Amino acid sequence: MSWSSQEVRLAERPRGRPDASTWEIATTEVPEPGPGELVVRVDLLSLDPAMRGWLNDVRSYIPPVGIGEVMRAFATGEVVASQHEDFAVGDPVSGSFGVREHALSDGKGVTRLDLDVAPPATWLGALGMPGMTAWFGLQDVGRVRPGDTVLVSAAAGAVGSVVAQIAKAKGCRVIGVAGGPDKVAWLRDLGLDEVIDRREGDLVRQVRRAAPDGIDVYFDNVGGELLDAALANLARGARVVICGAISSYNESSLPEGPRRYMSLLVFRATMQGFVVFDYEDRYAEGVAGICELIAADRLVATETVLEGGVAGFPDALLGLFDGVNTGKLLLKV
Ligand code: NDP
C-alpha cells in the first residue's frame, strides 16, 4: 500500500513577502514504511514566524530549507503504518513532519502525545515549542521576579499570550502590546494590567504611560520600533529578552535599529537572545509548569485554526504577518 500525499516545496527564495512564486505544490506517493520507519497522516500544521527565516540562505541556528525541498513544519498527526518499535498504528504524534499530508519518518524527533493531558492543537501551542519559548525565555533569560513590570509584544500571539499569563501568575504587573481592538479586549479579559494597541502609534509615549516607573523585563517578539520604545522606558537593571523580530522578517534590507541601545548603559540593563531548542532536555519541566497553570485556571491555551489543507499553506503563513491569529496559528490538513 502507499499513500498519495500533497506537499508544498520551496520553489524559489523570496525577497520580501513570500508569494505564489515562492512555492510549488506537488503530489507524491508515500511508500509503506521499512524496518524502523513509520508513516504519519498529518492533521494539523504549525505556522511559525521562524519559517520565514528558514527560507533565507544565511548562517543561522538551523540550515535553510533547500530549493525543491518540502517546507519544514512542526505538525501533529496519527500513525497509519509502523515498523518502528516505539510507535503503533493509531498513536497520536507530533514531530517535524513538513508541509505534507503524509510523512515517512524514522521516528527521530517524533513524540507520542498524551491526549488526556491536552488536544493536539495545544501540543503545538502552549505545551509545544511556543509554550517552551515563553517558559524558558521569561524565566531563564528574563529572570522574572514577583513585582516586576513586564512588557510583552505580540502579546496575543502563541508565545506572547503564554508569556503574559506566566508573568501574571508569578505576580508581575503585565503590559501587553497587540494589533487592533479585538486583541486588546481579549488581553484585558485574560487579566493583563495594561494593553497597548500598536496600531495607535506613538509607542514611546504609550509605553511610558503604561509603565511610568519603567520596565523590568521586556520580552521582545517583534523588534523594530517597539524595541526602541521599550529601550526608552527601562527600569534600572532591566532584562531585555530577544525572542524574535517579526517586524523585520519580510524586509529585504537590514533594519536601522536598535537606536536606543545606550539605555542599556544608563539603566545597567542587559539584552540577551536565546533559541528555544537549547532547552530541549528541559521541556518536561516546562510542560509540567504550564500544565499546572492550566489546571489552576491561571493560563488559557488558545489556538486559531485555519482551514485549507496543505495547499492553503502559502496564504496561511502570511496570516502571521497580518496578525490574523489569537494564540497559536494552525492549519488543518
Ligand atoms: P505569533 O503567534 O505571535 O504571531 C505573530 C504576531 O506578530 C502576529 O499575530 C502579530 O500580532 C505580530 N506582528 C506581525 N507583524 C508585525 C509587525 N510588523 N510589527 C509588530 N508585530 C507584528 O507568533 P509566535 O508566537 O509563534 O512567535 C512570536 C515571536 O517569537 C516571533 O518573532 C518568533 O520568531 C519568535 N520565536 C522565537 C523562538 C526562539 O527560540 N527564540 C521560538 C519561537 C518563536 P499583532 O498584530 O497582535 O501585534
Side-chain angles (χ1 to χ4, degrees), residues 118-130:
T122 304
W123 282 111
L124 289 175
L127 294 178
M129 193 270 287

Side-chain angles (χ1 to χ4, degrees), residues 25-240:
I25 298 174
T27 301
T28 56
E29 287 294 310
V30 173
E32 276 285 343
E37 293 181 332
L38 63 149
V39 173
V40 175
R41 187 197 65 230
V42 175
D43 296 330
L44 269 182
L45 284 171
S46 173
L47 297 158
D48 292 284
M51 287 171 153
R52 180 62 189 83
W54 300 339
L55 304 181
N56 298 334
D57 192 9
V58 294
R59 206 165 62 92
S60 187
Y61 59 91
I62 197 170
V65 176
I67 303 289
E69 285 178 10
V70 173
M71 180 57 193
R72 180 186 297 141
F74 297 109
T76 57
E78 190 179 306
V79 177
V80 291
S82 178
Q83 285 211 57
H84 191 293
E85 59 180 11
D86 297 337
F87 301 98
V89 170
D91 280 351
V93 288
S94 70
S96 182
F97 299 130
V99 182
R100 43 162 64 107
E101 291 173 330
H102 286 90
L104 181 67
S105 164
D106 61 5
K108 281 200 195 98
V110 178
T111 307
R112 191 171 326 98
L113 302 178
D114 186 344
L115 301 187
D116 291 334
V117 172
T122 304
W123 282 111
L124 289 175
L127 294 178
M129 193 270 287
M132 298 305 102
T133 304
W135 183 264
F136 294 107
L138 182 65
Q139 300 185 95
D140 263 56
V141 186
R143 303 189 307 282
V144 76
R145 293 183 290 253
D148 277 350
T149 295
V150 175
L151 176 73
V152 51
S153 49
V159 174
S161 62
V162 178
V163 167
Q165 294 179 86
I166 298 171
K168 271 315 287 177
K170 292 229 155 252
C172 301
R173 185 164 175 273
V174 181
I175 305 161
V177 184
D182 292 347
K183 291 189 186 183
V184 169
W186 183 74
L187 288 169
R188 285 193 203 285
D189 285 346
L190 279 189
L192 271 65
D193 298 281
E194 297 278 346
V195 187
I196 291 169
D197 185 345
R198 69 177 171 94
R199 295 187 194 159
E200 281 173 13
D202 204 350
L203 295 171
V204 173
R205 196 150 306 154
Q206 285 209 70
V207 174
R208 183 149 310 149
R209 202 177 304 130
D213 298 327
I215 295 152
D216 298 297
V217 176
Y218 174 44
F219 195 101
D220 189 18
N221 286 317
V222 310
E225 236 183 294
L226 212 43
L227 174 55
D228 273 333
L231 288 173
N233 286 289
L234 296 182
R236 188 171 171 149
R239 285 83 68 202
V240 177

